[in-house]
Amino acid sequence: MDQSSTPLFSLLDRFARKQSTSFHVPGHKNGEIFADFASSYFKQVLTLDVTELPGLDDLHAPTGAIQEAEQLASEFFKSEHTFFLVGGSTVGNLAMIMASVQPGDKVIVQRNSHKSIMHGLELSGAKPVFIAPEFDKDVGRFTSPSYQTVVAAVKKHSDAKAVILTYPDYFGRTYDIKRMIDFIHQYHIPVLVDEAHGVHFSLGAPFPVSSLELGADIVVQSAHKTAPAMTQSSYLHIKSVFNLKDKVAYYLQMLQSSSPSYPLMASLDIARNYLATRTDEDTEEIISSVSKVRKLLGQCKGFEVLPLTSKDDPLKISLNVKPYYSVQQVVSGFEEFHIYPELTTDRQILLIHGLARFKPFRQLEKAIKRINEQLKKDIIHATIDVSKLFPEPISELALTYQEMNQLTYTTVTLDKGLGKIAAESIIPYPPGIPLILKGEKITETQAMTVNHLLKQGVNIQQRTNGIKIYSNG
């Protein structure tokens, strides 16, 4: 197949040029009806925002341009089949879980997974067995489960219907997932991978290898993280001896909109084209750009730029703020010059370089200069040892999801919730990984960690003050 082609986008482009008469949805009528103050932003894309008209194919039963676009993606990513997703990696994670497990089935899950994985478990009614990640002192955060933990969990729960892993982590660190996959497959268990931050791994070295190439059965990738696709645009790849394709298609039809966005789908077609047509010289240019950015950042006295290792995605730049400075001081210095990090924690800042050559070096220089001028060493912030946040390598929820559905809850302050069963998850966002899981007993370490993060200004994605606990559980 011709990877330089874009069958879906080209079809929409030809259709838009016909300037056809609309007696159909959507209501903006090819962009004719739209607020004047916003029209200059939306006008062009609205001509592509169509519906399932004759010849424009149907995402949920593709036979034309969408099918061809998915086939091109499948060929490029080396999958057996690739689905286009318009609900982000979230809908891909939900669908792969729903397709793999039934209510009451055991599923082994990496504890520091995205909230969409936890939501998929709850919707499926599965019985999760959590495997704790290791705390990596070199980077000061939890990364991935150890091989030994995976082996112990699979041996103890060999009746599990799936194992769910995250690769890479939000900061771009990978691990020897192939060794884990090979062992898990010995027990005839499929491996499902949330690879939201790894769509560019398809480009090869110096980027890490995709888990799809390393043997995972289903891999979900966010095209919009590092490839040039619109937000909510993602891929779900299947390459498995397990019969999962039809079930995945069924749940995607159920969970995704019956009126999927054509601009989003077209951007997936374009993103695949972009990745497939990049040259080695393009990659070298990006790596050179990354090196220049890292060197410039190294001039800031407020943080250290964590070194890259063979495990790391070079597009991710992690900054470790020195203990006698405030993360918020550093972030404010960046934001003053309209530079916005991807993620901040109580001690770290994550920058995503991306596949575009960095250009505003002067702007970054000014920000670093301002940060250096304004940092105050006399600000000492209390630290907390989070390395014991997940004390048990293998754990289960205190209640099943079916039991939780039968209970009522009340809201209490976090300190009064100690030892009680959480009726909601507590989630710093981003990265969207729950510190406290719905259905588990709240520990003192968890409560201390949440309070510490709140004091440091980390956003907790929660609608209430305190925490909901089951009042009769």
Side-chain angles (χ1 to χ4, degrees):
M1 300 181 75
D2 181 8
Q3 288 292 334
S4 67
S5 65
T6 52
L8 180 55
F9 170 73
S10 298
L11 175 64
L12 295 176
D13 179 52
R14 291 193 299 272
F15 183 83
R17 291 176 187 276
K18 292 179 181 179
Q19 297 183 330
S20 57
T21 300
S22 170
F23 277 112
H24 55 77
V25 298
H28 57 69
K29 298 298 179 180
N30 299 324
E32 290 300 314
I33 303 174
F34 214 71
D36 290 340
F37 64 84
S39 181
S40 61
Y41 288 100
F42 285 88
K43 184 71 174 178
Q44 288 298 106
V45 74
L46 290 177
T47 63
L48 304 181
D49 186 32
V50 292
T51 189
E52 291 85 352
L53 300 173
L56 296 187
D57 212 357
D58 180 353
L59 177 64
H60 298 302
T63 58
I66 295 175
Q67 181 186 53
E68 185 180 351
E70 288 187 336
Q71 288 173 343
L72 280 162
S74 178
E75 179 185 77
F76 172 68
F77 289 106
K78 298 181 176 62
S79 70
E80 291 176 3
H81 187 84
T82 292
F83 290 95
F84 281 7
L85 309 178
V86 294
S89 287
T90 289
V91 78
N93 287 339
L94 297 178
M96 74 178 182
I97 294 172
M98 299 287 285
S100 303
V101 299
Q102 300 297 317
D105 285 346
K106 282 185 184 177
V107 55
I108 298 171
V109 189
Q110 184 173 328
R111 173 60 179 79
N112 58 332
S113 294
H114 189 263
K115 63 176 183 174
S116 60
I117 295 292
M118 307 307 174
H119 293 162
L121 295 172
E122 185 172 355
L123 286 172
S124 71
K127 184 179 181 183
V129 175
F130 293 106
I131 48 177
E134 296 289 300
F135 187 81
D136 189 335
K137 293 182 179 179
D138 291 337
V139 294
R141 63 177 184 265
F142 288 97
T143 53
S144 61
S146 69
Y147 175 74
Q148 291 74 21
T149 298
V150 171
V151 168
V154 172
K155 286 183 175 180
K156 184 177 181 180
H157 301 280
S158 59
D159 55 340
K161 300 301 181 183
V163 174
I164 304 173
L165 299 172
T166 300
Y167 174 98
D169 68 9
Y170 208 108
F171 290 81
R173 175 148 291 196
T174 64
Y175 54 96
D176 191 359
I177 195 172
K178 184 181 189 305
R179 188 183 181 198
M180 297 181 185
I181 292 171
D182 289 345
F183 175 80
I184 295 164
H185 279 168
Q186 292 178 28
Y187 287 76
H188 307 288
I189 301 173
V191 180
L192 319 179
V193 180
D194 177 358
E195 194 175 286
H197 287 261
V199 69
H200 59 288
F201 290 3
S202 56
L203 296 173
F207 303 109
V209 181
S210 170
S211 60
L212 184 68
E213 186 176 338
L214 298 176
D217 296 278
I218 300 181
V219 176
V220 176
Q221 297 174 332
S222 293
H224 63 93
K225 299 292 188 191
T226 50
M230 295 177 70
T231 299
Q232 289 186 215
S233 304
S234 297
Y235 303 109
L236 185 152
H237 311 292
I238 296 181
K239 189 176 182 181
S240 177
V241 298
F242 300 95
N243 186 22
L244 296 170
K245 177 185 171 183
D246 289 345
K247 289 183 177 180
V248 167
Y250 170 77
Y251 282 106
L252 286 177
Q253 184 174 7
M254 179 185 294
L255 295 167
Q256 295 201 104
S257 172
S258 59
S259 300
S261 165
Y262 274 83
L264 293 184
M265 291 188 286
S267 77
L268 285 167
D269 193 22
I270 293 167
R272 183 271 316 153
N273 164 276
Y274 177 85
L275 293 171
T277 56
R278 288 186 66 81
T279 64
D280 291 342
E281 289 75 19
D282 292 329
T283 299
E284 290 173 5
E285 181 181 14
I286 295 307
I287 297 304
S288 174
S289 178
V290 170
S291 297
K292 292 176 182 177
V293 172
R294 291 176 62 86
K295 183 177 180 180
L296 181 54
L297 288 167
Q299 297 177 12
C300 186
K301 65 182 182 181
F303 52 75
E304 64 170 323
V305 182
L306 293 185
L308 288 173
T309 72
S310 59
K311 299 178 182 179
D312 294 316
D313 173 7
L315 298 186
K316 301 290 184 72
I317 303 174
S318 297
L319 312 177
N320 199 43
V321 178
K322 294 176 182 177
Y324 36 81
Y325 294 128
S326 161
V327 171
Q328 289 307 313
Q329 284 187 74
V330 176
V331 171
S332 295
F334 281 133
E335 291 181 352
E336 183 177 342
F337 291 89
H338 309 292
I339 297 171
Y340 298 97
E342 166 67 16
L343 164 70
T344 61
T345 71
D346 61 324
R347 297 310 319 153
Q348 295 189 338
I349 300 170
L350 173 64
L351 309 176
I352 299 181
H353 181 285
L355 292 172
R357 182 168 58 88
F358 188 78
K359 296 179 181 178
F361 281 99
R362 183 58 182 155
Q363 185 179 351
L364 183 57
E365 287 174 355
K366 290 180 179 179
I368 291 172
K369 182 180 179 181
R370 182 60 56 86
I371 292 170
N372 284 339
E373 291 173 347
Q374 294 186 344
L375 283 175
K376 297 179 181 179
K377 263 194 172 183
D378 59 343
I379 298 179
I380 306 297
H381 289 266
T383 59
I384 184 172
D385 181 11
V386 299
S387 63
K388 306 300 182 184
L389 189 59
F390 309 119
E392 299 298 327
I394 302 172
S395 62
E396 299 180 46
L397 296 177
L399 297 170
T400 67
Y401 292 119
Q402 292 82 355
E403 289 171 333
M404 286 184 245
N405 287 335
Q406 305 302 314
L407 300 176
T408 59
Y409 61 82
T410 186
T411 301
V412 299
T413 57
L414 200 53
D415 61 313
K416 291 185 177 180
L418 295 180
K420 305 296 184 181
I421 300 174
E424 64 177 336
S425 295
I426 302 297
I427 307 170
Y429 199 87
I433 297 169
L435 280 176
I436 299 175
L437 282 174
K438 179 180 179 180
E440 71 179 358
K441 288 188 176 181
I442 303 167
T443 68
E444 184 176 2
T445 301
Q446 288 174 325
M448 289 175 61
T449 303
V450 171
N451 286 326
H452 175 71
L453 293 177
L454 287 171
K455 289 178 181 178
Q456 300 303 316
V458 174
N459 180 51
I460 301 292
Q461 198 173 53
Q462 190 182 12
R463 294 182 181 273
T464 60
N465 295 322
I467 186 170
K468 294 175 184 175
I469 60 169
Y470 289 110
S471 53
N472 52 350

